Every structure is written in C-alpha cells, then in structure tokens.
C-alpha cells in the first residue's frame, strides 16, 4: 500500500482515461458503485517484475491511496507518481496553436502520466490504425480475453479472463504465438497484424532494455518499423 501527496490537483478518471481502450477494456476499470473498497480506478500491468494489479482511490484533491497485488506490485507502487503526472512539467511550455491554447486554459492543471511500459501501449496503438475506435477496442478485448492472464488480487475474479475478470497483457512471446486466423477472427487485418509482428520481433525485447533508460534506442527502433514510423 502507499499514500501519495501529489502537490497538484489529481483527477484520476481524466488522467488515466486515455490508457483505457473502451468501457469494456479488461485491463482498466473505473468503479463508482458497489462496496466502498471497490470504488476508484483499477489497472493491470505486465511489469518488469511480473503481473500487477493497481487500485487507486482519491483521499482528497491532491492525495491518493494505492494498493497493489502480484509480483509487479512493488514496481507499480514505485512508479505511481509518474503514472499520475509528476513528470509532466508545464513550466516553460507554450502552445503554438489557438486551439491548443484554449485547451490549455481550460485543462491547465490536468497532468498526464506515463506508464513506463511499452508493450501495453504499442499493441493497441497499432490495432487502432485505419479502423474505428470501436473496432480496435473489440479486437483488443477479444485477444486479451483469450491470451491474457487473470489479474492478481480481487480484480482477477473469477480466475478466468473469459469469465470477465480483469486481465493482464500477454507477454511478447505469447503475442508472437497468436496464429494468423485468430488475428483475422478478432477483426485485425493482415497489414496490422504484420506490423505488430514486426514490432514484436525487435531484438530490444529480448535484450530486456528498459524503455525509460533506453528511450532513444526504442524510439529509433520503432521509427524504422514499416507501419509505425516516426
């Protein structure tokens, strides 16, 4: 468990909403009904230490209570400030477009976080190319329900992703083993599945290079992948 004082306004639902792929995303849930202990934001991750489930609940405008389960629990608790926008420093930033300036005035205190985990971001990013959001989210959900692992802790109940418990993103090796017909069945065309396989074959995955410490190398490698690019 961890209590963290941000020093700036926290809006969990808005700050983390962009990480959620639709209302039925098996890796994220915002709960405001039912038992009080369930209220708040639930998120699963495949961390360098293994699977983790993170539960966040607000303790005021600038403080949050976090609880984690699974081998990756210590990792997500340590990374919590970055997830909630500590590294998003607005000082010195200037918008260069009228629309961005207006948005900045309206949402000026909203800080966006970073997951520090590449796999759970790059897969849905490719799935969302050239199709509607609903189609991409359906594919993401379908593949996770079959190939994901049950989330640690109470979020994974029942202990079967197909039984609608929360799931953890599959590993790189699992994604690579998905047969071509299953991509098609999930609504992923051959162009997108080929792009994903090119991403998943990057040698950097096998070298276990931290995307934070080796951001430049990851950026350069991904930019060379056809279907991703700069």
């Amino acid at each position: 468990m961890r209590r963290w004082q941000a020093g700036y306004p926290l809006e969990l639902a808005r700050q983390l909403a962009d990480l959620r792929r639709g209302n039925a995303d098996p890796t994220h849930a915002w709960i405001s009904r039912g038992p009080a202990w369930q209220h708040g934001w639930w998120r699963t991750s495949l961390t360098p230490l293994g699977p983790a489930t993170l539960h966040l609940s607000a303790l005021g405008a600038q403080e949050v209570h976090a609880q984690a389960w699974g081998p990756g629990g210590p990792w997500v608790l340590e990374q919590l400030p970055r997830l909630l926008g500590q590294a998003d420093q607005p000082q010195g930033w200037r918008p260069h477009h009228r629309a961005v300036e207006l948005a900045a005035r309206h949402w000026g205190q909203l800080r966006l976080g970073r997951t520090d985990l590449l796999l759970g971001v790059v897969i849905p990013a490719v799935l969302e190319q050239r199709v509607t959001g609903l189609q991409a989210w359906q594919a993401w959900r379908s593949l996770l329900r079959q190939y994901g692992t049950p989330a640690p802790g109470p979020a994974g109940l029942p202990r079967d992703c197909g039984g609608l418990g929360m799931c953890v993103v599959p590993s790189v090796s699992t994604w690579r083993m998905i047969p071509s017909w299953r991509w098609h069945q999930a609504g992923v065309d051959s162009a997108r599945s080929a792009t994903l396989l090119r991403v998943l074959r990057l040698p950097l995955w096998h070298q276990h290079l931290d995307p934070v410490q080796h951001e430049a190398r990851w950026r350069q490698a991904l930019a060379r992948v056809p279907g991703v690019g700069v």
Side-chain angles (χ1 to χ4, degrees), residues 114 204 209-224:
R114 53 185 297 164
L204 298 184
L209 294 185
D210 188 329
V212 178
Q213 297 178 3
H214 301 275
E215 182 175 344
R217 290 188 61 182
W218 275 106
R219 185 182 299 274
Q220 185 180 42
L222 286 169
R224 290 199 298 261

Side-chain angles (χ1 to χ4, degrees), residues 38-227:
Q38 294 182 352
H39 293 185
W41 191 267
W42 294 79
R43 165 178 164 77
T44 70
S45 307
L46 183 60
T47 78
L49 300 181
T53 299
L54 177 67
H55 174 244
L56 302 174
S57 56
L59 296 176
Q62 300 186 12
E63 189 174 9
V64 67
H65 175 269
Q67 186 171 2
W69 295 263
W75 190 94
V76 295
L77 291 177
E78 178 68 24
Q79 191 262 354
L80 178 64
R82 292 165 64 82
L83 180 67
L84 297 180
Q86 187 183 60
D88 185 11
Q89 299 294 337
Q91 294 83 1
W93 178 81
R94 295 290 182 271
H96 297 288
H97 191 283
R98 177 62 175 169
V100 179
E101 181 181 359
L102 293 175
R105 289 180 183 178
H106 185 72
W107 302 103
Q109 292 187 319
L110 182 65
R111 296 201 185 190
L112 302 180
R114 53 185 297 164
T115 68
D116 293 336
L117 296 170
L118 184 58
L119 184 63
V121 177
V122 71
I123 298 291
V126 175
L127 291 177
E128 290 168 0
Q129 295 179 6
R130 308 191 311 173
V131 296
T132 67
L134 289 177
Q135 290 173 307
W137 296 340
Q138 183 178 9
W140 171 251
R141 183 169 63 250
S142 174
L143 292 167
L144 257 67
R145 286 296 177 200
Q146 181 170 351
Y147 297 102
T149 56
L157 299 175
R159 292 290 174 202
D160 175 10
C161 290
L164 300 184
M166 292 185 71
C167 301
V168 178
V169 175
S171 65
V172 171
S173 59
T174 299
W175 284 109
R176 290 180 62 181
M177 290 171 55
I178 297 176
S180 59
W181 63 266
R182 186 62 183 90
W183 290 108
H184 180 73
Q185 187 181 59
V188 182
D189 58 79
S190 58
R192 286 181 294 151
S193 62
T195 297
L196 282 171
L197 290 175
R198 285 192 290 267
V199 169
L200 296 168
R201 292 188 182 116
L202 289 174
L204 298 184
W205 294 113
H206 306 293
Q207 297 171 20
H208 303 289
L209 294 185
D210 188 329
V212 178
Q213 297 178 3
H214 301 275
E215 182 175 344
R217 290 188 61 182
W218 275 106
R219 185 182 299 274
Q220 185 180 42
L222 286 169
R224 290 199 298 261
V225 175

